[in-house]
Amino acid sequence: AECGATGARESATAPAGAAPMETIRSKVAVLLRTPRHADPPPCQRRDSGLNGAATSSAEPPPPASLASATAAVRPGKPISPLKLMTLATISLSATCLCSTIVQSQLLHEGALRGRYDAANDDGVSYFTGSGSSGGAGAARRDLDLLDSRSFGGAPAAARTTSAAGGGAGAGGDTDVGGGGGNGDGGGSESATEGFGEQSQEEFLVAVKRRLKIETPLDKTFWRPYARLSSEGQASLPAGANKTNLIFVAGAEGTGHHFVTALMMRLSQLMPMTLVQEQMFQALWWKPHDRSPATFWGALESFFEWVGAAKANGKHPAFCARTCLRYSGLKHCSWISGLQQQMAGRLLDGKAHNISYQPIGQMFSYPFSRSGNETEDGTHFPRLEDLQYLCELAGIRLKVIVLWREPVDAIMSMNNRGLPKIWRRAGRTFKLHKQVGLFLSQLDELHTQLQSLHPHDYRIMNYTDVLLNGQDYVRDLAAFLEVPQAQLSRAFTLSMKAKPKKHPRAPTTAPDGTWSDEVRRSFIESRLAEAERGPHPPACCGSWTRRLAERRVVQMPVPRDAGLKPARTPHWFTRWAQAAPPPRRLQEISFTHVVNPFDPGNNTERARSQTVTLASISHAAALATAQGISVELVCAIFAEDEAYLAREPVKCTFAHLNASAITALPQFRHPVRLPFLNMILWAGHQSGKGKYLVYSNMDIGVQPPFYIKMARQMQVMPDVPVSSIREEFEHVDATFDVESAIARRGTGLSHPGHDCWVFPREWVPRLILGFTLIGVSMVATDMMQALHAISGCRMSLLSPHLTFHFVEGDSVVKHPSNQRARNDKIFTGLYTAWNCAQFARNRRDVLATYPEYGQCWFSQQAEWNVYSYQCGATIEHLPHEFKLLWHNDSIKPGGAYIDCNLPSLCARCRGRDGSRRPPADLMAAVPCGFCRCAGDLGNPPYITPPVGGEVGALAGEETANVPRGGVQEASLDQTGAAVVGSGGVAVAQGGKAARALPRTGSGAVLLPRSDF
């Protein structure tokens, strides 16, 4: 009877036909206002419909605290302020409890779903509405509109969404908390007092379990990439988008540098940055190697570039980058040149004491010829990639095709390559190879052009352009959609700036020396032989016939082709059809490791570190609200801990001991410089994240940093990322995190790398030596190690996710301001050390990963070695490190061993290098980080500690190293150094202490000779 009465009351409370949400509210109201029975009737049962809370079909009793408070209030008596406050607190607690119950039920039934805001460019989910749980609302499918700058620039794609934002991960079993989810059960303590501690704990666990959201696998993410039209860009609606992508196609030696000098002066065109250029260089380095990871990185860079061009009302253009050089300076700056381009100042002709010169990768057919002649002809662009990318972005591809007489083009190729690759022996073979290379690449270009509509490319004769440039203005301006007056002015300035070629005097050199006449005659004979051969060149009779009639040639449309020439679907569409869905967001977690230090009296460094740590805290909080776990590890020396304790940022300290002075007594620096491999190991050992983030200490992160990195790792989980910063110059004393957020996207671009994200489990297998932090060649060494272990795959991103600020002029704007170029301490001993370590690492990388020799970054690294003048600075090092630079094999025995620290590693690895002591960050000598020749092919190269503290030298009884690090030593009357009990002495020169006898007080005795 009681159960029936209760059912009747519930039916009366909930109106007929009420929505589920109204029913839930009615149940909650009954729960709070119905008196509790002392003994529940037998028919009472547990109902898990409300978050698993203990409810029943009978009248649920109210909380004990509420019942007692109600009984305490008698009619007719005034309510005291204390009782009034108690009632208000109980009411507020009950309201919070109701909110938690209702929200969890709605989330469970799918009534509250998040929709991604397409206007947001950082990949952050926000709630923009909630659908009904019944009727047509339940059948409606939420769409996650994918922003072009958030997920590789894909078009709007249907995506199954999670309730991220205010609820994702909030109050989950992992104590990540959340924004707006109230998952810690806040406010429910008072309302559940009468349930008892055990019931309350069960209730909170049930609520957390219900509130934990696991993002479903998004099986529709790759759909936009797999369903593109096979008819090409002609299928785009006319006038749908006025943005064009300009590409210059031509064989090597056909005038790319002059066209670059022409296009860089047009203010309507926007060049790519150096990093975006490098991403396309990686894509086309092996054009037949169809790597989805490499293509995805190029796709991300492409959409960053196109998005920036659209925001500035410009057309993205290859071969449009310039470099500004001040008179009397050796180095030029493409960043300063880009500033001038964006301001449209390259046409004013008032450049006093400065000059502009074309710079960058020209992407000719082929490009990037090197000293390794086996690679010549293997690097060239693919127009089908550009067609596919333009179709994704909804822009139009326009190609300028350069033609030049083959003899003149091959002579130009030969003149540029003559000082580098020619020798007295084999000249005939090498010139013959250049002729064949030119013809094969010209045929490659001709074949690729067949997939383009004739309206989308124009052909020009470079030789005639130099003679009659103004005759090309009208037709070329109409094709590029730029003003004729500006293009005419650009032609005039480019012709004036072009270096004049002086005719050479007739040579009287002895036989065996090839003059221009001899080479030209040889080229003509080889071209005639190829024309008469069984496979004559397919290009370019139709071009030359039409070029004889007009300046800018548009090829006719074949009658059977129509307006929509069919083309083979891009290979990435086929891969996307079978690609696995992105990983769940809950699978992504980060450990961010940095190396802060006490800056002393340097206020700019102190402020930079404070802003960096605060920015990491901001970004981590936003990521946590999205269900992404982020932890911060600070690898520090003991003397820096007191300074960092004042920073209001939660950080896990990992103490270091070994530094530059440990390895080389000649080092003198006011701040101890740590080693890169030890900082990464500190993050590996102290962190728990799936991915490791390493950045320089002066690099701040914008709020969406971790979210964007998580998005990237969801799609390409095993591909490392290098995030390129932007530079804010001339900041004032009030610059902070909020200032960086406000100025995001307005700073200078940066040509280097200083922030990486990669799987944390890679750290013990990275081939990294004792590279010094804060010196040149750090990024080169890090990039080499990551490219080697990842199979030459890396995404280079620059969507303004990291930043750096300076009070004066930026060094990226004025390369002469860089310490690496003008400070003797960095151009001498410090750079020499890193150059030697890089050389040893490169030798070990090639021995372990032979395929790295064919990676695009291998050549880039060689250029960096040349730029930092490693060959000249290496003379500052002792003999053993010169051996590392010259890659000579160090014979086992004596004081040296074939390791990356020959003398120091010999003390702990044995004469043959067979012993592998565990890694110990607190050891005075970094024996556990030595990598010897016998270790190659047998990773990990850093041996994890078995347990407990490891001594300074493996295999020897040494003093325990205190957490305070290295102590100063004093000399006693016998000439020995005395250190406090339990300490390790390191002399001013940085030499580590051996295990030596102790004094009666337990102090260590060191002979004076050790200093």
Side-chain angles (χ1 to χ4, degrees):
E2 292 179 357
C3 292
T6 303
R9 268 194 302 273
E10 290 184 354
S11 300
T13 305
M21 186 172 182
E22 296 298 329
T23 303
I24 295 170
R25 289 175 176 171
S26 301
K27 291 183 179 180
V28 173
V30 171
L31 171 66
L32 294 178
R33 71 169 178 262
T34 306
R36 176 186 292 271
H37 291 276
D39 297 318
C43 61
Q44 182 175 357
R45 57 180 177 84
R46 301 182 67 87
D47 185 1
S48 59
L50 297 176
N51 289 321
T55 62
S56 70
S57 58
E59 299 177 356
S65 57
L66 182 60
S68 60
T70 306
V73 180
R74 301 182 180 275
K77 290 187 177 182
I79 302 177
S80 66
L82 179 60
K83 292 183 179 180
L84 185 62
M85 293 176 60
T86 303
L87 287 175
T89 303
I90 294 175
S91 301
L92 180 60
S93 302
T95 303
C96 294
L97 175 62
C98 295
S99 174
T100 302
I101 295 174
V102 172
Q103 184 182 9
S104 63
Q105 182 69 14
L106 290 175
L107 289 173
H108 179 68
E109 295 185 2
L112 184 59
R113 297 180 182 272
R115 179 180 293 181
Y116 182 81
D117 185 3
N120 172 41
D121 63 347
D122 300 324
V124 186
S125 299
Y126 299 98
F127 287 113
T128 59
S130 58
S132 173
S133 62
R140 181 183 60 83
R141 184 177 184 180
D142 290 335
L143 297 180
D144 187 5
L145 300 180
L146 197 61
D147 181 62
S148 61
R149 284 165 290 177
S150 169
F151 242 133
R159 248 183 116 217
T160 306
T161 63
S162 67
D173 293 339
T174 58
D175 299 328
V176 295
N182 205 14
D184 59 355
S188 62
E189 184 176 353
S190 301
T192 58
E193 248 178 9
F195 294 155
E197 293 185 4
Q198 183 176 0
S199 300
Q200 178 181 351
E201 200 65 33
E202 293 176 355
F203 174 78
L204 292 178
V205 170
V207 170
K208 288 185 177 182
R209 187 182 300 113
R210 287 296 183 87
L211 285 179
K212 183 176 180 180
I213 306 303
E214 187 176 77
T215 308
L217 287 177
D218 183 6
K219 299 181 180 179
T220 64
F221 175 78
W222 295 109
R223 187 176 299 168
Y225 305 94
R227 292 186 176 180
L228 292 180
S229 170
S230 62
E231 298 174 348
Q233 58 185 343
S235 61
L236 294 175
N241 198 308
K242 297 295 184 180
T243 304
N244 302 319
L245 173 67
I246 312 300
F247 183 77
V248 180
E252 187 178 1
T254 55
H256 285 80
H257 286 80
F258 176 78
V259 175
T260 302
L262 180 71
M263 295 176 61
M264 71 186 189
R265 290 179 163 85
L266 300 176
S267 59
Q268 292 78 18
L269 305 184
M270 182 171 183
M272 55 174 48
T273 65
L274 174 63
V275 177
Q276 294 162 354
E277 182 181 280
Q278 289 176 342
M279 201 65 248
F280 276 92
Q281 188 172 347
L283 174 64
W284 290 332
W285 192 259
K286 296 180 180 179
H288 298 295
D289 183 13
R290 297 176 174 180
S291 169
T294 305
F295 188 84
W296 179 259
L299 187 148
E300 291 252 6
S301 296
F302 178 78
F303 273 88
E304 291 172 11
W305 178 29
V306 172
K310 287 182 177 181
N312 290 276
K314 298 178 181 293
H315 302 294
F318 287 83
C319 293
R321 209 152 60 86
T322 186
C323 192
L324 186 149
R325 184 190 303 274
Y326 288 93
S327 301
L329 295 182
K330 178 181 179 181
H331 304 283
C332 66
S333 171
W334 67 267
I335 298 174
S336 297
L338 180 61
Q339 279 189 312
Q340 300 293 318
Q341 284 180 281
M342 298 299 292
R345 298 174 183 170
L346 270 69
L347 287 175
D348 54 15
K350 299 178 181 179
H352 298 292
N353 299 322
I354 60 174
S355 61
Y356 301 101
Q357 63 187 56
I359 195 175
Q361 182 58 257
M362 303 300 170
F363 292 111
S364 59
Y365 288 75
F367 67 88
S368 290
R369 294 176 59 220
S370 63
N372 184 0
E373 297 179 13
T374 61
E375 296 182 8
D376 287 347
T378 61
H379 323 307
F380 56 85
R382 295 189 69 92
L383 294 180
E384 64 172 349
D385 293 339
L386 296 180
Q387 285 180 280
Y388 178 72
L389 293 174
C390 288
E391 191 171 350
L392 281 174
I395 63 177
R396 193 175 189 87
L397 173 64
K398 293 194 173 185
V399 181
I400 298 176
V401 182
L402 298 178
W403 161 256
R404 191 178 187 182
E405 288 297 331
V407 176
D408 295 334
I410 297 173
M411 286 288 291
S412 177
M413 291 173 57
N414 192 251
N415 288 336
R416 290 198 301 271
L418 183 63
K420 296 181 179 179
I421 66 174
W422 271 50
R423 301 292 184 269
R424 288 188 174 274
R427 286 181 180 141
T428 304
F429 169 77
K430 292 178 180 179
L431 189 54
H432 175 74
K433 180 181 178 181
Q434 286 184 326
V435 174
L437 179 63
F438 177 84
L439 294 177
S440 64
Q441 289 297 302
L442 201 59
D443 283 350
E444 176 68 32
L445 170 60
H446 184 267
T447 302
Q448 292 186 21
L449 286 173
Q450 304 311 307
S451 63
L452 291 181
H453 194 281
H455 292 166
D456 298 328
Y457 66 93
R458 299 290 187 272
I459 306 172
M460 299 190 310
N461 188 333
Y462 169 68
T463 303
D464 190 65
V465 168
L466 297 180
L467 299 175
N468 307 290
Q470 293 299 326
D471 296 341
Y472 288 79
V473 171
R474 186 188 63 181
D475 294 342
L476 190 58
F479 179 68
L480 297 178
E481 300 180 13
V482 298
Q484 292 188 28
Q486 291 194 18
L487 185 59
S488 176
R489 176 68 172 168
F491 261 109
T492 302
L493 296 178
S494 300
M495 290 300 300
K496 289 183 178 180
K498 181 176 174 57
K500 303 300 184 289
K501 184 177 181 180
H502 302 284
R504 296 183 180 180
T507 179
T508 57
D511 295 339
T513 302
W514 284 42
S515 62
D516 290 351
E517 294 78 9
V518 174
R519 285 188 291 159
R520 183 176 292 272
S521 176
F522 180 84
I523 293 171
E524 291 174 349
S525 63
R526 294 301 180 186
L527 290 174
E529 291 179 6
E531 192 70 31
R532 298 190 300 267
H535 303 287
C539 185
C540 300
S542 59
W543 293 3
T544 55
R545 288 192 296 270
R546 291 191 170 272
L547 285 170
E549 300 174 359
R550 57 183 306 164
R551 306 293 189 189
V552 180
V553 171
Q554 175 184 339
M555 299 302 293
V557 179
R559 294 181 179 179
D560 56 347
L563 295 178
K564 299 178 180 179
R567 60 183 174 91
T568 305
H570 194 267
W571 65 266
F572 195 76
T573 63
R574 297 189 295 272
W575 177 86
Q577 292 172 359
R583 294 188 176 184
R584 289 185 173 90
L585 193 64
Q586 286 75 19
E587 300 179 31
I588 310 300
S589 57
F590 296 104
T591 295
H592 196 151
V593 59
V594 292
N595 174 232
F597 57 92
D598 187 349
N601 297 326
N602 193 320
T603 57
E604 185 174 6
R605 285 185 179 177
R607 186 155 60 106
S608 176
Q609 290 190 115
T610 300
V611 172
T612 296
L613 293 174
S615 69
I616 292 176
S617 178
H618 280 66
L622 184 60
T624 301
Q626 296 287 306
I628 305 169
S629 176
V630 180
E631 59 182 350
L632 179 62
V633 175
C634 296
I636 61 173
F637 292 106
E639 60 267 24
D640 302 322
E641 185 171 356
Y643 171 80
L644 293 173
R646 300 193 296 267
E647 294 289 343
V649 176
K650 183 180 179 181
C651 181
T652 301
F653 288 162
H655 292 79
L656 307 175
N657 196 0
S659 63
I661 60 174
T662 306
L664 198 62
Q666 291 93 325
F667 281 115
R668 291 290 185 271
H669 195 273
V671 178
R672 282 206 286 174
L673 298 180
F675 297 122
L676 175 61
N677 55 355
M678 300 185 72
I679 294 178
L680 298 182
W681 181 250
H684 178 271
Q685 290 297 96
S686 302
K688 299 178 181 178
K690 184 175 180 61
Y691 295 95
L692 186 71
V693 182
Y694 169 72
S695 60
N696 293 349
M697 196 54 234
D698 56 351
I699 304 301
V701 299
Q702 295 285 5
F705 172 78
Y706 298 110
I707 297 176
K708 174 61 180 177
M709 292 299 108
R711 304 293 195 200
Q712 184 71 17
M713 295 307 169
Q714 282 182 273
V715 181
M716 296 291 170
D718 298 323
V719 179
V721 174
S722 175
S723 181
I724 313 303
R725 75 179 190 238
E726 63 176 334
E727 187 99 354
F728 302 130
E729 59 178 354
H730 304 297
V731 303
D732 55 25
T734 62
F735 189 90
D736 55 8
V737 178
E738 287 74 17
S739 304
I741 297 173
R743 295 178 60 172
R744 183 184 177 199
T746 64
L748 300 174
S749 300
H750 190 265
H753 307 266
D754 40 38
C755 178
W756 296 270
V757 183
F758 54 92
R760 187 172 60 91
E761 63 182 11
W762 284 7
V763 172
R765 297 187 289 125
L766 291 176
I767 299 183
L768 282 172
F770 295 93
T771 305
L772 290 176
I773 295 298
V775 193
S776 306
M777 296 294 293
V778 176
T780 304
D781 218 358
M782 186 74 172
M783 295 283 285
Q784 175 179 258
L786 291 177
H787 275 91
I789 196 173
S790 66
C792 196
R793 301 178 306 164
M794 179 177 287
S795 294
L796 310 179
L797 305 181
S798 54
H800 309 130
L801 292 175
T802 57
F803 65 89
H804 177 257
F805 65 91
V806 292
E807 297 176 353
D809 287 340
S810 170
V811 297
V812 300
K813 185 177 177 181
H814 304 288
S816 58
N817 293 343
Q818 295 181 11
R819 293 182 301 172
R821 301 183 187 273
N822 54 27
D823 192 336
K824 291 183 178 180
I825 197 172
F826 287 96
T827 58
L829 185 63
Y830 286 67
T831 299
W833 173 270
N834 279 0
C835 288
Q837 288 296 314
F838 168 79
R840 175 56 187 249
N841 294 339
R842 178 177 175 81
R843 189 189 80 174
D844 292 349
V845 162
L846 291 174
T848 308
Y849 305 98
E851 64 277 6
Y852 172 75
Q854 304 297 320
C855 179
W856 75 274
F857 189 78
S858 178
Q859 186 186 35
Q860 179 66 41
E862 291 295 333
W863 175 255
N864 293 350
V865 169
Y866 167 77
S867 298
Y868 289 112
Q869 303 179 0
C870 287
T873 60
I874 205 70
E875 298 301 323
H876 294 273
L877 292 177
H879 175 69
E880 62 174 300
F881 300 110
K882 291 181 181 178
L883 295 180
L884 297 180
W885 166 253
H886 296 294
N887 281 332
D888 292 342
S889 178
I890 303 176
K891 304 295 182 182
Y896 296 160
I897 189 175
D898 193 5
C899 300
N900 48 0
L901 287 181
S903 59
L904 290 180
C905 293
R907 301 170 56 187
C908 49
R909 294 295 301 265
R911 298 305 180 187
D912 57 353
S914 59
R915 289 190 300 184
R916 300 186 67 170
D920 181 15
L921 292 173
M922 286 303 297
V925 178
C927 296
F929 299 90
C930 292
R931 188 185 67 253
C932 302
D935 301 339
L936 301 181
N938 186 26
Y941 305 115
I942 301 177
T943 305
V946 178
E949 293 291 336
V950 183
L953 300 179
E956 301 180 10
E957 182 183 356
T958 59
N960 293 328
V961 181
R963 301 302 289 180
V966 180
Q967 297 181 355
E968 293 290 339
S970 60
L971 299 179
D972 67 357
Q973 296 179 355
T974 63
V978 181
V979 186
S981 177
V984 172
V986 173
Q988 297 297 325
K991 204 167 184 179
R994 296 190 302 270
L996 294 173
R998 298 176 179 268
T999 63
S1001 61
V1004 180
L1005 287 175
L1006 292 179
R1008 186 186 294 269
S1009 60
D1010 277 0
F1011 288 81

